[in-house]
Amino acid sequence: MIRPIRFCLLAMALGLAACTASAPVRHYTLLTPQGAIQPPGAPARFVIEVLPVSVPEYLNQPQLVVRQDDSGTLAVLDDERWLGPLDEEIRNALSAQLVDDLGTQDVAGLSWPGDAQVIRVKLQIRRLDAWPGKRVQLEAGWTLADARKPGNARLVCHGRFEEAASDGYPALVQAQQRLIAALARQIGQDATTWSASPQAKCGLSKAP
């Protein structure tokens, strides 16, 4: 009778270990890989100051949040997480893309260089929806202001962006990286035209 009892105990222990073992947690970033960044054109005549980004509370958590269908059902993915807080991930990715696109510097938290114009960028994420294996959508509003002239004219813009997403969560995050890059390009274009002419209007409100 001893051997069967030992066999049962061993089977129970192995079963318990299998149940308690958890899948590895994967971490992602919204920073675009360096090799995917296009070389900038002529450097901008201004520097930027990218402020902290506002993100809906239900999105601003460590886990990826995805849409399960078109009914609005959300799923929080415990094993798929952001490398840092989502608002900081978006701000850092936006800043890096703007710096590369415009050939300029983000002076947030730094001393302003000389008498260069400082374009302050304030971004509010309104939606960042992701349907795994289908698409990702971004809706955002941004405000541009001359930081050296507080209280003066501002440019307030809005945009909607969409990207196709292949199967798998890494591909989903890559699509979100492309969304942030497209958003940065639009903001960079708006900043360039507005810095040259305060009467300039926002660019397209919807990107393909």
Side-chain angles (χ1 to χ4, degrees):
M1 294 295 294
I2 296 177
R3 287 181 180 177
I5 292 175
R6 287 180 177 175
F7 178 79
C8 291
L9 290 175
L10 179 60
M12 290 176 61
L14 290 175
L16 181 61
C19 292
T20 57
S22 58
V25 175
R26 292 182 290 189
H27 291 86
Y28 304 95
T29 181
L30 284 172
L31 287 168
T32 302
Q34 197 64 32
I37 296 176
Q38 299 296 322
R45 297 183 178 181
F46 55 86
V47 297
I48 57 173
E49 183 184 38
V50 181
L51 300 181
V53 173
S54 175
V55 176
E57 198 61 36
Y58 76 95
L59 287 174
N60 200 25
Q61 52 185 310
Q63 302 93 335
L64 271 66
V65 179
V66 300
R67 296 277 182 181
Q68 291 186 311
D69 49 43
D70 291 329
S71 67
T73 305
L74 296 173
V76 180
L77 308 177
D78 284 334
D79 297 332
E80 316 292 333
R81 301 190 173 220
W82 296 113
L83 193 59
L86 181 58
D87 55 350
E88 294 181 13
E89 281 286 324
I90 295 174
R91 199 216 77 87
N92 293 340
L94 175 67
S95 170
Q97 192 70 50
L98 283 171
V99 166
D100 286 322
D101 288 348
L102 299 172
T104 189
Q105 179 185 10
D106 182 1
V107 297
L110 305 174
S111 299
W112 296 348
D115 57 354
Q117 185 182 26
V118 181
I119 300 296
R120 181 169 287 157
V121 181
K122 184 177 182 181
L123 175 66
Q124 179 183 19
I125 300 296
R126 296 171 182 171
R127 292 179 57 192
L128 182 57
D129 292 330
W131 289 266
K134 296 181 179 179
R135 66 190 185 278
V136 292
Q137 293 178 339
L138 169 67
E139 183 174 352
W142 58 93
T143 302
L144 305 178
D146 190 331
R148 293 190 185 273
K149 300 176 182 178
N152 282 7
R154 298 167 180 261
L155 183 66
V156 181
C157 304
H158 170 264
R160 288 179 290 146
F161 305 83
E162 181 171 326
E163 286 280 342
S166 302
D167 290 333
Y169 296 121
L172 189 74
V173 172
Q174 289 170 5
Q176 291 175 318
Q177 291 174 349
R178 295 194 297 272
L179 278 184
I180 300 300
L183 170 64
R185 284 193 296 270
Q186 186 60 61
I187 293 176
Q189 293 171 13
D190 289 339
T192 300
T193 55
W194 184 72
S195 69
S197 174
Q199 289 74 40
K201 305 297 182 181
C202 299
L204 295 176
S205 61
K206 183 177 180 180

